[in-house]
Each structure stands twice: as structure tokens, then as C-alpha cells.
């Protein structure tokens, strides 16, 4: 089973708690890197925490949640080797993982219904990166972008 790190800012705190409870029930192992309340914090700090873990632990997956998911995805993608995908439905979650080998899922707590966010996270965690040559080639090229 893949290791899953999860983090949010205050805007994503409630959804983080909800997802964690539901995903653990589904059998996933989650490691919560905060935040731990509704108190205002800065999303780049949590994107950095997740990026550090994902880059250290091979094949681990991250979930980052803020109000829109945008701040988290911009921040996480600054770290080389992180492929953070802002997903808004099952299809984008499946393709982000399969085609883009995304290793971080970003969610917007203020733009998604809780049950939709759960569905998205579930698909993202179950899907695997494609073994097809064209996708592997494209993913390799991402790290060459300067
Ligand atoms: C915090 O109010 C909000 O700006 C943040 O959660 C996120 O939406 C940023 O992209």
C-alpha cells in the first residue's frame, strides 16, 4: 500500500479531516502534516512540507488542500520532482495520475462538495502511472523544463 501524506491550510482544514476519516476507513494509510485547526496559516508552508516527504519517500503520494487548490498547486510545483495536479472530477484525477504521473493531488475545499472530493481522492489513490512509452517520455521531459 502506498504511503499517503496529507496537508492543508485553514481553508482546507475541514475537508482534510473529512477525507482522512473516510480514506482510512477505505484502508489507506494517511500521515497528517497539518494544519490542525481553522486558524489562519500560509499554504506554501504546507506545500513545502508535503514536497519534502514525497521527494524523500519513493512512490509516496501527497494530498494538498486549500480554498481553491490553486495556491497549493502553484507552490508544490516549484519543487523539482513534484507533479502536483489540481483536479476537479474523477476524470482529471485518473488522467493526472495515469498520463502525468502526478504525485500530489490538489483539491479546492471551497469549490468542491465533500463527497466529490472524496471520489476524486479515491480515484487518484487507486490509479497508477501509465507504462506506455509516450507518457513516460513526456513525464521525463517535465523535469527538463527550465
Ligand atoms: C486562504 O484564504 C486561501 O487564499 C487559500 O486557502 C487558497 O485558496 C489559496 O490558493
Amino acid at each position: 500500500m502506498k504511503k499517503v501524506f496529507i496537508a492543508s491550510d485553514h481553508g482546507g482544514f475541514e475537508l482534510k479531516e473529512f477525507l482522512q476519516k473516510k480514506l482510512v476507513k477505505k484502508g489507506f494509510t494517511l500521515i497528517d502534516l497539518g494544519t490542525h485547526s481553522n486558524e489562519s496559516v500560509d499554504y506554501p508552508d504546507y506545500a513545502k512540507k508535503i514536497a519534502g516527504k514525497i521527494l524523500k519517500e519513493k512512490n509516496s503520494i501527497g494530498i494538498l488542500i486549500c480554498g481553491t487548490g490553486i495556491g497549493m498547486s502553484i507552490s508544490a510545483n516549484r519543487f523539482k520532482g513534484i507533479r502536483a495536479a489540481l483536479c476537479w472530477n474523477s476524470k482529471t484525477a485518473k488522467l493526472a495520475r495515469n498520463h502525468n504521473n502526478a504525485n500530489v493531488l490538489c483539491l479546492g475545499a471551497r469549490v468542491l462538495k465533500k463527497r466529490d472530493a472524496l471520489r476524486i481522492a479515491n480515484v487518484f489513490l487507486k490509479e497508477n502511472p501509465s507504462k506506455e512509452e509516450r507518457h513516460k517520455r513526456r513525464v521525463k521531459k517535465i523535469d527538463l523544463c527550465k
Side-chain angles (χ1 to χ4, degrees):
M1 192 60 104
K2 293 164 212 146
K3 217 181 227 184
V4 184
F5 295 97
I6 189 165
S8 74
D9 71 354
H10 54 290
F13 170 66
E14 257 183 46
L15 180 58
K16 172 170 70 65
E17 298 299 292
F18 170 83
L19 287 182
Q20 218 174 322
K21 217 180 287 164
K22 296 285 185 188
L23 291 170
V24 165
K25 270 193 196 156
K26 284 183 187 284
F28 294 104
T29 308
L30 275 91
I31 298 137
D32 185 358
L33 301 180
T35 186
H36 299 293
S37 76
N38 284 312
E39 205 173 303
S40 183
V41 291
D42 299 336
Y43 57 79
D45 297 337
Y46 292 87
K48 187 178 180 181
K49 280 188 191 197
I50 287 277
K53 293 287 186 190
I54 303 300
L55 294 174
K56 245 188 238 153
E57 301 228 14
K58 215 174 169 245
N59 296 324
S60 59
I61 296 277
I63 301 177
L64 280 170
I65 313 162
C66 63
T68 58
I70 295 172
M72 286 296 197
S73 54
I74 292 172
S75 306
N77 278 317
R78 291 295 177 101
F79 295 86
K80 189 176 173 189
I82 294 297
R83 292 173 299 278
L86 176 56
C87 299
W88 58 93
N89 56 25
S90 300
K91 187 160 190 179
T92 50
K94 187 177 167 73
L95 293 178
R97 208 48 205 130
N98 192 268
H99 286 193
N100 312 113
N101 194 352
N103 48 14
V104 176
L105 167 68
C106 297
L107 295 169
R110 293 177 183 154
V111 295
L112 289 171
K113 292 197 174 94
K114 279 195 175 99
R115 66 167 187 276
D116 291 335
L118 176 61
R119 203 170 297 140
I120 293 166
N122 198 34
V123 169
F124 191 88
L125 295 180
K126 283 191 175 153
E127 187 65 31
N128 288 307
S130 168
K131 290 193 167 50
E132 284 182 55
E133 203 40 53
R134 70 180 194 285
H135 293 306
K136 292 209 277 191
R137 182 183 68 238
R138 289 164 191 162
V139 169
K140 248 190 208 159
K141 284 187 180 180
I142 296 174
D143 277 340
L144 303 176
C145 294
K146 290 238 167 77

